[in-house]
Amino acid sequence: MKVFKVGENRLSVDLLSEIISNKINLSISSEAKKRIKNSNNYLKNKIKSSSDPIYGINTGFGSLYDKKISKDDLGKLQNNLVMSHACGLGDEVPCEIVKLILLLKIQSLSYGNSGVNLKTIERLVDLYNNDILPVIYEQGSLGASGDLAPLAHMSLALLGLGDVDVLDTYKIDNYKRISSSKILKKMGWSPLKLGPKEGLALLNGTQFMSAFGVWTLVKAKKLSYLADLIAAVSLDAFDCRIDPFDNLIHKLRPHKGQIKTANNVREILKGSNILKRKNKHVQDPYSFRCIPQVHGASKDVISHVESVFNTEINSVTDNPNIFENKDRIISGGNFHGQILAMSMDYLAIALSELGSISERRTYKLISGERGLPPFLVASPGLNSGMMITQYTAASIVSQNKQLCTPSSVDSIVSSNGQEDHVSMGANSATKLFRVVNNLEKILAIELLNASQAISFREEKSSDFIQSFIESYRGDVSIIEKDRVLNSDIEKTISFINNISVSQELI
């Protein structure tokens, strides 16, 4: 089985996607093991040789930083931290994102600046490789001091506390719930006894925010291309001009995303017989004509946010940080999620806009213009056809607009004023998760309408589009008369979700 050695190479959003989708196991590289052991030994020696207060190691946490802890209680301090901070509520984090949280926590601890025992990190690897995924909740993190509550729930499994979801090998991609104590016993593992700093190293960090961001970026990159593809179907279905996609225009305003979008649409529509006929319309509505400018802007945001996350997932974000070569332990604020919160707010806006312009194209397709029947059904009146699909898209677009209220501008004081400015990045992350899933639904509704509309054209579209629609027709047939459309939309969402898009196209 292929194995990814943590600590040997830098991570990227694309590499994480490959590791997760191909179910690649993890191991700790020999170089990372050396760093981890050196850091842990340094910390142990420092505690033995000095009675000076070191935050979170021999002191309390947050506003309790001035409470000195005896050397006999340093391990208990860390266990208490994990238990007391497991205050998460709300929806459960999807299992695929929990796997990312584990992977990113392992990566962050592998740099040897956290002072943890190698055995602790190896247990996280065991959980990951065996698909033993702690139950984590979406609510509870302020996005500063790290994702404390979610990561506490992640860490409970190490202590034999809380519940986990375990991959059921008899049902592919299905998980069954079991207590951590039972699965540890079944695997022959003893609950860990945390040493100095270990609970803090596990709970401090941005891995909850980062995992949601990475998962969304992977999906967003794919949907960005599919938005171009589905828009191209709508363009031909609505009898639009190709002129606005001419490269001469985009050289005059050479934003990368704009150029990429125009190129995508031209390539998808190449050879279309619908485009070859003489067009009666001098100009098209903005939702068609300005696809390169709108889709392109979203592409540029995706690219920017990806660069932020590529830095974050290769960073150390717990506190304090240990530098044994400098003989220093420094308490700082790398756990603060402001850069992620702002980036995810920005990305939510970009993805919401892809949905907003998509809904406008759906609206035009059902309007009864340009030779298309009202609501895209052969006998309108007796049949309402696609009328209410646009209502559904509009309601989801409206929800996305509401979800785009930025979390990063909010802050509520915590820990008796010691933690007086927080990022609210976890809320930004979970909002973004909803926005990208909503976008998929909106695009599915456009595809349902665009594929229906193009069936009324006598001429053929491009070979690319004809092949794409033929594949789609294997899941969703042409709508001849009214039927329950919920199932058609759900099938279209599934069709989009199952499309594989190569990195070269994204």
Side-chain angles (χ1 to χ4, degrees):
M1 180 180 287
K2 192 174 181 182
V3 174
F4 177 78
K5 292 189 176 182
V6 177
E8 204 167 73
N9 296 295
R10 283 179 62 84
L11 290 175
S12 68
V13 170
D14 289 342
L15 180 55
L16 283 171
S17 176
E18 182 184 341
I19 291 169
I20 294 291
S21 60
N22 293 319
K23 304 184 187 305
I24 296 173
N25 278 356
L26 307 179
S27 68
I28 308 295
S29 70
S30 57
E31 188 60 35
K33 286 181 180 179
K34 183 179 177 182
R35 292 195 299 263
I36 293 163
K37 289 177 180 177
N38 288 345
S39 177
N40 184 243
N41 289 334
Y42 168 81
L43 178 59
K44 289 176 179 176
N45 291 331
K46 192 72 172 178
I47 293 169
K48 286 180 183 177
S49 63
S50 173
S51 59
D52 292 340
I54 309 172
Y55 173 76
I57 296 172
N58 56 15
T59 74
F61 307 103
S63 65
L64 300 174
Y65 67 90
D66 57 349
K67 303 296 184 184
K68 191 76 184 293
I69 309 299
S70 71
K71 289 185 178 180
D72 292 338
D73 287 332
L74 298 188
K76 187 176 182 180
L77 173 71
Q78 301 300 318
N79 276 49
N80 286 347
L81 176 72
V82 173
M83 291 188 292
S84 67
H85 284 49
C87 295
L89 294 172
D91 293 338
E92 294 175 8
V93 177
C95 286
E96 59 267 33
I97 296 181
V98 174
K99 283 207 79 166
L100 275 170
I101 292 172
L102 286 170
L103 197 162
L104 294 175
K105 176 54 75 175
I106 293 163
Q107 174 76 9
S108 185
L109 296 178
S110 74
Y111 291 102
N113 296 102
S114 304
V116 298
N117 193 312
L118 176 61
K119 185 184 293 184
T120 301
I121 305 177
E122 288 179 331
R123 179 60 55 83
L124 291 173
V125 172
D126 289 336
L127 294 178
Y128 180 94
N129 287 344
N130 288 280
D131 276 307
I132 299 170
L133 306 178
V135 177
I136 302 175
Y137 302 93
E138 287 190 359
Q139 293 176 319
S141 171
L142 299 179
S145 280
D147 293 310
L148 296 175
L151 294 178
H153 283 279
M154 177 202 76
S155 304
L156 286 176
L158 304 178
L159 310 181
L161 301 173
D163 292 327
V164 295
D165 285 322
V166 183
L167 183 65
D168 185 347
T169 53
Y170 300 104
K171 295 180 181 178
I172 297 173
D173 292 330
N174 235 347
Y175 288 83
K176 57 185 177 183
R177 185 68 47 86
I178 189 173
S179 69
S180 295
S181 59
K182 285 183 179 179
I183 195 64
L184 291 184
K185 187 175 181 180
K186 182 177 179 181
M187 300 299 290
W189 303 336
S190 299
L192 295 182
K193 294 181 179 180
L194 299 179
K197 172 71 167 58
E198 291 200 288
L200 194 58
L202 289 165
L203 270 58
N204 267 185
T206 62
Q207 286 76 39
F208 176 87
M209 292 177 276
S210 297
F212 270 94
V214 167
W215 188 92
T216 302
L217 279 165
V218 170
K219 190 161 189 171
K221 290 169 71 176
K222 172 183 169 181
L223 290 180
S224 173
Y225 173 76
L226 291 179
D228 294 348
L229 172 53
I230 294 167
V233 180
S234 294
L235 277 159
D236 250 7
F238 200 59
D239 194 20
C240 292
R241 304 180 69 91
I242 195 65
D243 305 26
F245 300 88
D246 195 301
N247 198 40
L248 289 172
I249 292 175
H250 304 292
K251 283 182 178 179
L252 298 179
R253 195 194 191 201
H255 293 290
K256 288 183 179 178
Q258 180 175 329
I259 290 172
K260 175 68 173 173
T261 301
N263 287 346
N264 282 348
V265 173
R266 286 199 312 273
E267 191 64 29
I268 292 165
L269 286 170
K270 187 184 293 182
S272 168
N273 289 323
I274 297 174
L275 285 178
K276 289 176 182 176
R277 68 181 186 174
K278 188 173 181 180
N279 200 297
K280 299 176 183 178
H281 315 289
V282 176
Q283 207 175 64
D284 298 313
Y286 282 4
S287 57
F288 296 91
R289 190 181 359 145
C290 297
I291 288 169
Q293 290 78 10
V294 177
H295 287 205
S298 294
K299 280 182 174 59
D300 287 341
V301 173
I302 292 169
S303 179
H304 166 72
V305 174
E306 183 178 14
S307 71
V308 171
F309 274 82
N310 279 340
T311 297
E312 185 71 12
I313 60 182
N314 291 287
S315 300
V316 177
T317 56
D318 67 298
N319 178 65
N321 300 134
I322 295 169
F323 303 89
E324 74 270 13
N325 292 334
K326 302 290 185 181
D327 191 23
R328 296 189 68 188
I329 299 177
I330 305 174
S331 183
N334 275 356
F335 48 66
H336 202 291
Q338 193 72 26
I339 185 67
L340 302 185
M342 295 178 79
S343 296
M344 288 188 286
D345 284 343
Y346 191 22
L347 182 56
I349 292 169
L351 299 182
S352 179
E353 280 299 282
L354 286 177
S356 180
I357 195 171
S358 170
E359 182 276 330
R360 290 292 80 198
R361 290 191 294 266
T362 295
Y363 180 86
K364 297 302 290 184
L365 288 169
I366 65 172
S367 64
E369 300 175 36
R370 300 194 176 187
L372 296 173
F375 306 115
L376 302 177
V377 68
S379 300
L382 175 62
N383 295 291
S384 294
M386 306 299 241
M387 181 190 294
I388 306 303
T389 64
Q390 183 267 329
Y391 286 44
T392 303
S395 73
I396 299 170
V397 166
S398 179
Q399 185 181 76
N400 268 359
K401 291 175 183 178
Q402 295 159 31
L403 289 169
C404 283
T405 301
S407 295
S408 56
V409 299
D410 186 30
S411 179
I412 297 178
V413 176
S414 59
S415 196
N416 281 358
Q418 181 69 5
E419 298 166 8
D420 58 348
H421 185 279
V422 297
S423 75
M424 296 298 179
N427 288 347
S428 180
T430 53
K431 286 197 307 94
L432 175 61
F433 178 73
R434 292 177 68 189
V435 168
V436 75
N437 285 329
N438 279 346
L439 170 59
E440 186 173 56
K441 296 171 187 175
I442 297 162
L443 291 175
I445 291 172
E446 183 185 358
L447 175 56
L448 180 67
N449 281 275
S451 62
Q452 179 79 1
I454 209 166
S455 70
F456 289 99
R457 299 299 178 194
E458 293 180 5
E459 299 86 353
K460 296 285 187 183
S461 186
S462 67
D463 289 344
F464 193 116
I465 288 178
Q466 292 297 140
S467 175
F468 175 63
I469 292 175
E470 184 179 346
S471 176
Y472 174 60
R473 287 288 168 237
D475 291 353
V476 179
S477 61
I478 291 174
I479 297 164
E480 304 287 354
K481 58 184 180 180
D482 280 351
R483 66 192 192 204
V484 178
L485 292 178
N486 163 267
S487 59
D488 289 318
I489 297 172
E490 291 288 357
K491 288 175 184 176
T492 308
I493 293 168
S494 180
F495 174 79
I496 287 175
N497 194 43
N498 289 329
I499 292 174
S500 179
V501 178
S502 68
Q503 288 297 323
E504 293 76 23
L505 293 173
I506 292 174

